[in-house]
Amino acid sequence: MTISLHNRRSWAAATATALALASLASLAGTATPASASGRATTAGPATAATALAPESAAAPKPASPAASASPASGDPAVPSALTLPRPTGPYATGRDTLFLTDHERTDPWVPAAGARRLLVSLHYPARPGSGGDPAPYMPEEEARLMLVQRGLDDPQWPGLVAATRTSSRTDARPAPGRFPLVLLSPGFGTPRATLTGLAEELASRGYVVATADHPYESTGTELPDGRVLTCAACDEVDAQPDDAGRRKVLAAVSAGRAADFSFLLDRLTGPRPAWRHARTIDARRVGMAGHSIGGNAAASTMAADRRVDAGVNMDGTFFDRVAARGLDERPFLMLGTDPGHAPGAGDTSWDEGWARLDGFKRWLTVRDSGHFTFTDTPAIGEQLGIVDPDAPLSAARSTAVTRAYVTAFFDRSLRGRPARLLEGPTPAHPEVLFQRP
């Protein structure tokens, strides 16, 4: 993999970036894992309350004006602001944040931290014109840790990335009606914010979307009290003596996320829901999608929890293998890179998983794509002048493909709507290949 930074830095910096990106892709994708961060910065239990934490109480702090402003040097290669692509659906979108504690489980990576905690972004269809400011993208320290892991140490970039403009509003009033719920899980070592663009698109099309950060599995997760948890699970992977050991830990990551999402479903759809707008969720229609290890977690969650009706794996190895019994005829979409996730390619877990899936299923690969094509990375990277020649698909096409196929799949699976896009190749998306092994 080679990364070019137009008008920025030196070839040495570009090479460092390439190596870091390759490390992160291998960590959560198909190759031998590599470290994503240092050890956790805190091991003590959090003091925040377990239940509802509205946006005003638990939202990540936006970047300071000084951090997000244009650099004083006037370097024309540094953008003054970053933006996510606007969602295309008919609804405005709102966002809340929850901080939840599962008192029935001890954190699997740092037992001294006490009970397992989750930070969750809730995107939802909203009434037009309601709400306050645009929801913040991510805390600046989370952005800094993510960029450092990827070899991007420009001191101006964390503020820029943290201040990326979203389309969702805080404190927005929900649109009338009840909507299917989609759970989203990010890649290993990757903050939940990197799936914001997909979450906003789904919310604009009439879904409630719950995106979870899994503490100690990301380069950085900022708690409401300001403490930042780093990737202890990455250190556990790194400590293994061989590939078999690493794969075993990553399988445990996926299975652990299944427990996280079962708990989250309890708190969103149970008799005492934690979210103030839980009445907008139709608990009879639940789907799950994830990137990288989060995609594996979609299958793990479906195997463990019958409430999840459909799943999407976006370029994730099935470290936790698809259950031999299948998924009780529930639909599943595998959406990955080409040729890396084509039949008979390097990741044989997809061949095995495909054979075990027993419901409606599609195996799609995307030409010219990379491991992060299905996240916000292409859109943000392009604006920062980062180019990966090994994944030349543009940000616009990356966004369009991901949105179109994930939405079509959930429209079919959760709403019973026709989805011609899933019937075969189309001139509108020539990069997408239908695999029929």
Side-chain angles (χ1 to χ4, degrees):
M1 180 185 295
T2 303
I3 306 293
S4 299
L5 287 81
H6 291 316
N7 303 317
R8 299 287 295 161
R9 301 279 178 169
S10 64
W11 281 107
T15 301
T17 302
L19 293 173
L21 282 169
S23 295
L24 187 57
S26 66
L27 177 67
T30 61
T32 301
S35 179
S37 81
R39 294 196 175 275
T41 58
T42 176
T47 58
T50 299
L52 171 65
E55 185 75 39
S56 58
K61 298 187 291 295
S64 66
S68 59
S70 300
S73 65
D75 185 343
V78 179
S80 60
L82 307 179
T83 60
L84 293 181
R86 293 189 63 82
T88 64
Y91 290 98
T93 58
R95 198 194 77 184
D96 276 349
T97 301
L98 298 181
F99 179 52
L100 304 173
T101 302
D102 183 357
H103 293 286
E104 301 300 317
R105 299 170 60 215
T106 300
D107 190 277
W109 308 114
V110 183
R116 181 67 163 167
R117 293 157 289 175
L118 294 180
L119 271 165
V120 182
S121 294
L122 274 300
H123 290 85
Y124 56 94
R127 294 178 184 268
S130 68
D133 295 330
Y137 185 62
M138 69 165 65
E140 187 167 332
E141 181 62 9
E142 285 190 13
R144 187 189 70 79
L145 290 168
M146 179 181 70
L147 290 166
V148 166
Q149 195 285 326
R150 300 185 186 194
L152 303 171
D153 59 354
D154 189 311
Q156 300 172 76
W157 284 5
L160 281 170
V161 172
T164 297
R165 187 173 181 87
T166 70
S167 295
S168 300
R169 298 277 174 171
T170 61
D171 297 319
R173 289 183 297 152
R178 301 183 71 204
F179 305 97
L181 172 66
V182 173
L183 310 172
L184 290 183
S185 186
F188 191 46
T190 307
R192 74 187 189 280
T194 56
L195 293 176
T196 298
L198 178 58
E200 290 190 331
E201 176 69 10
L202 288 167
S204 80
R205 293 187 170 274
Y207 293 88
V208 174
V209 185
T211 312
D213 252 336
H214 308 271
Y216 302 111
E217 297 175 21
S218 170
T219 49
T221 302
E222 184 172 299
L223 302 181
D225 63 8
R227 289 182 296 157
V228 178
L229 312 181
T230 55
C231 196
C234 301
D235 296 331
E236 184 68 20
V237 170
D238 228 21
Q240 300 307 305
D242 53 26
D243 185 62
R246 289 186 285 270
R247 297 179 74 88
K248 183 176 180 180
V249 174
L250 289 167
V253 171
S254 185
R257 290 189 179 192
D260 287 344
F261 279 108
S262 287
F263 164 70
L264 178 57
L265 276 173
D266 291 343
R267 300 298 289 126
L268 291 177
T269 65
R272 298 178 59 189
W275 185 39
R276 55 181 172 170
H277 301 313
R279 66 185 182 279
T280 65
I281 294 173
D282 182 351
R284 299 167 301 174
R285 298 181 290 170
V286 179
M288 181 170 171
H291 170 245
S292 197
I293 198 75
N296 187 181
S300 297
T301 304
M302 290 178 70
D305 197 321
R306 193 62 184 79
R307 291 175 292 180
V308 182
D309 301 303
V312 180
N313 179 354
M314 298 183 291
D315 211 52
T317 294
F318 291 104
F319 294 108
D320 185 26
R321 299 163 67 185
V322 176
R325 69 177 188 279
L327 296 175
D328 300 320
E329 300 184 348
R330 286 169 288 172
F332 202 88
L333 169 65
M334 303 191 318
L335 177 64
T337 54
D338 189 272
H341 273 122
D347 187 357
T348 58
S349 76
W350 276 41
D351 299 86
E352 179 189 84
W354 175 261
R356 292 182 171 189
L357 294 172
D358 56 344
F360 173 86
K361 58 185 178 179
R362 289 292 184 268
W363 182 343
L364 309 180
T365 57
V366 184
R367 281 192 296 248
D368 296 330
S369 62
H371 187 57
F372 295 98
T373 287
F374 312 100
T375 72
D376 297 340
T377 298
I380 290 176
E382 240 181 47
Q383 292 173 78
L384 291 173
I386 301 172
V387 177
D388 177 5
D390 289 337
L393 194 65
S394 70
R397 294 304 305 155
S398 298
T399 298
V401 165
T402 304
R403 287 176 166 182
Y405 284 90
V406 173
T407 302
F409 175 78
F410 283 130
D411 281 351
R412 182 196 183 280
S413 302
L414 302 182
R415 288 178 156 147
R417 295 177 177 175
R420 291 185 179 178
L421 200 60
L422 300 176
E423 294 176 2
T426 171
H429 300 289
E431 313 91 342
V432 178
L433 305 178
F434 278 67
Q435 306 293 350
R436 302 182 185 277

